[in-house]
Amino acid sequence: MSDHGQMRASSQNWAVLLPDILTHSVDQLRPMLPKHLAVMVVGGQVLLSTTAGQPRAVATETVGVPAQVERGGLAAVAARMLADVQDLIVTDLGGPWPLTKSGQPTHPEASLVGTSLDLRFSNKDGSDGVLLAPYPVPEIPPPTVVAG
């Protein structure tokens, strides 16, 4: 890609991917929840519900999604979205989540490597963690659909 093409791609708005990145992340986290909990994305919110007894919503979290983000900022925004989801679940459980295989608490991290947004929860020193499936990031952002 030419320098002009790279500059144009980096200055384009990548926020159009954020709702899909959030849904992808929640889909990856769902099987890690305790059996009595379920999580889903509804609009711009993450809904935590209980499946024990009478199923019901127990908490919601509005995930902060900026209106404008450059490609290089996707990882930072994705990590903040993972933190919002983690906060919602941790608040309900009353303890750290998700834990490493050895039972250590984790914090969310994301990194953009080429066309892959790598998502994970790592322990304090980064030696262990919970990896999510990477999110494929296109070379150029998809067009923004404007309802009208």
Side-chain angles (χ1 to χ4, degrees), residues 105-147:
T106 60
H107 63 276
E109 295 180 339
S111 55
L112 184 60
V113 181
T115 58
S116 179
L117 182 61
D118 295 335
L119 307 162
R120 64 197 163 281
F121 289 87
S122 298
N123 66 346
K124 189 163 44 171
D125 66 9
S127 64
D128 194 7
V130 177
L131 297 177
L132 306 182
Y135 180 85
V137 177
E139 290 289 333
I140 58 170
T144 303
V145 177
V146 178

